[in-house]
Amino acid sequence: MTIRWCTSLFSAAWLMSSPVALAQPTAAPNTPPAAVSAPSFNATVQVRADRPGPVINRNIYGSFAEHLGRGVYEGIWVGESSPIPNTRGMRNDVIAALRKVKLPVLRWPGGCFADEYHWRDGIGPRDKRLRRANTSWGGLETNAFGLHEFMDFADLIGAEPYVSVNVGSGTPREMMEWLEYMTSNTESALAQLRRANGRKQPWKVKFVGIGNEAWGCGGNMRPEYYADEYKRYAAFVKQYGDESFVKIAVGPSDQDYNWTEVVMKQAAKQIDGLSLHYYTLPTGNWKAKGSATQFDESEWRSTFVRTLRMDTFITKHSAIMNKYDPEKRVALIVDEWGTWYDSEPGKGALYQQNTLRDGLVAALNLNLFNQHADRVKMAASAQTINVLQAMILTDQAKMVLTPTYHVFEMYNVHHDATLLPLEIQAPRYGAGADALPSLHGSASRDARGALHVSLVNLDPQRAAKLTLSLQGRGAKSVTARVLTAPTINALNDFQRATVEPKPLEGKVADGRVSVTLPSKSVTVLTIE
Ligand code: AHR
């Protein structure tokens, strides 16, 4: 048996599982999952409480809202005169949900849209704002939701704003003026304009993205060219308020290691954060990505195989960054991640439903970000509402929280906690190239000293009989919450919520925890 002092992959050939049958029969909504008929497997987890690692930056739990489909319009903005209950035009149900999940940071306005966005279009009296074609995603951009509305929304949900500025079709001057408008407390014309538009105090804005996907929709640039452009723009990111900006450079897509190499080599000194974008496509084929809701066990598994590539990408990009930034000053910022399926026609660009499978994808990615907390300091799920792997879906006045949302809520115990290494011994799930660890996890200790262990059981049939021990301290009590459902494609729609966290029973004896993790589940244990 191979034992690794890391929380990612582990192997135990003698425990290889045999192929299993597909989903269990559907149960009535809101009932606990049906009793597991397939045999369970045994697993052990050891938490190294004696080997604390880095702090898990809460900003790893961020999200991304782009002017795309029904993400901003309807998802956030309904207007002050809407019958949908709202605060200054922004829907109250969404505000309450994002407050509850403790979303720490929100990226805006794109995405590809950022490189066609001109911030002055979105300030001043709303009825006078320019309407423009949204050439990235279709439809008309009314600019009703502009800078002041975004800042108000970020404030209402308690998130820090992360603004992506236009490099592709903008200028350093436009960027400079935007930054000054937002953060200057002087009598300058731009600060006065902000005041005239209703905002007396400057906003606190820390995170500035210099362009988006410059290798693609942001300008089809070579890394050499972008690195030069980045340095030019970065030179004009001046400080107007109390704090200097955190400057985030466009980083690679998935395995484009050359991009990281070139940009870090040429510009590491001027960069505070380097972005990484990686989307999970179940098929790996952009022309037929796979359905959000109709999939079999083989696509269930390939989705996780592809999600776990994130580990390799982070590891390899970090290794390149280490060459140019051994002190780890430059953060890796995974500011677009999530599942991308074939979108549902007629529901807005990039709209897709969200099943239990997405909940598990979110949990795997968040476990990985926790594990790489030494380099990954911020991330943003794509996207927040009604777009791609959304946390929230709306249908006019109706709103539903997705399995992805619930995982973010369950995992918020890791915010700013100290990472603890985890050793997992469990059988593999599946065989051959598609074989996966059946259990995947991460652990942390919060400021009170409580331990939080988040564990994903990827096996769709077999529960895990888990014994968990702690190195360096004992366990006195355990509480647990689990997210699971009767079928692999269970989802929450506007009629019923089938996938919601529920309490799970665990026991403590002789300082060790025993708990049975249901098949296809995400569990978070809190151990005192
Ligand atoms: O999230 C959707 C799009 O995916 C973003 O606009 C772009 O940055 C990425 O390609």
Side-chain angles (χ1 to χ4, degrees), residues 330-466:
V330 181
L332 187 61
I333 294 178
V334 191
D335 57 16
E336 287 190 30
W337 65 267
T339 51
W340 194 323
Y341 307 120
D342 299 328
S343 26
E344 288 181 35
K347 298 203 172 159
L350 306 194
Y351 179 89
Q352 60 191 39
Q353 245 295 357
N354 194 288
T355 68
L356 178 65
R357 174 176 62 165
D358 295 272
L360 270 66
V361 167
L364 294 178
N365 275 311
L366 295 172
N367 281 339
L368 291 173
F369 302 154
N370 287 348
Q371 290 168 17
H372 289 279
D374 61 331
R375 188 58 95 169
V376 178
K377 304 287 183 193
M378 187 153 86
S381 68
Q383 298 194 6
T384 319
I385 307 147
N386 291 334
V387 175
L388 298 176
Q389 189 178 345
M391 303 168 84
I392 296 174
L393 300 175
T394 66
D395 177 8
Q396 302 201 12
K398 289 178 269 184
M399 182 196 82
V400 70
L401 305 177
T402 66
T404 297
Y405 174 92
H406 291 304
V407 167
F408 270 85
E409 188 272 319
M410 290 165 73
Y411 271 53
N412 67 25
V413 290
H414 292 302
H415 288 195
D416 297 332
T418 301
L419 180 72
L420 299 175
L422 196 64
E423 179 197 344
I424 302 174
Q425 292 177 50
R428 307 281 290 173
Y429 156 52
D434 261 6
L436 285 164
S438 46
L439 291 190
H440 189 270
S442 64
S444 69
R445 185 182 57 217
D446 69 20
R448 284 192 310 109
L451 305 192
H452 303 283
V453 185
S454 42
L455 292 162
V456 187
N457 180 2
L458 294 172
D459 192 314
Q461 287 289 355
R462 301 188 308 157
K465 286 202 165 147
L466 179 76

Side-chain angles (χ1 to χ4, degrees), residues 239-285:
Q239 184 174 338
Y240 304 93
D242 303 336
E243 270 188 276
S244 55
F245 292 103
V246 172
K247 298 185 286 295
I248 298 162
V250 171
S253 174
D254 33 44
Q255 75 272 47
D256 187 353
Y257 301 117
N258 181 52
W259 184 277
T260 301
E261 179 73 43
V262 173
V263 172
M264 284 298 288
K265 188 173 181 182
Q266 282 187 215
K269 282 202 195 87
Q270 287 93 347
I271 296 175
D272 301 318
L274 184 76
S275 73
L276 166 66
H277 289 183
Y278 174 55
Y279 286 96
T280 301
L281 278 62
T283 61
N285 175 0

Side-chain angles (χ1 to χ4, degrees), residues 64 66 68 111-112 137 212-213 279 336 340 350 383 388:
F64 163 42
E66 180 169 12
L68 193 179
C112 296
W137 303 111
N212 170 74
E213 298 195 350
Y279 286 96
E336 287 190 30
W340 194 323
L350 306 194
Q383 298 194 6
L388 298 176

Side-chain angles (χ1 to χ4, degrees), residues 172-186:
R173 176 179 174 166
E174 183 182 15
M175 175 198 70
M176 278 186 91
E177 291 182 347
W178 192 1
L179 300 181
E180 184 178 347
Y181 181 91
M182 289 190 289
T183 60
S184 169
N185 202 16
T186 67

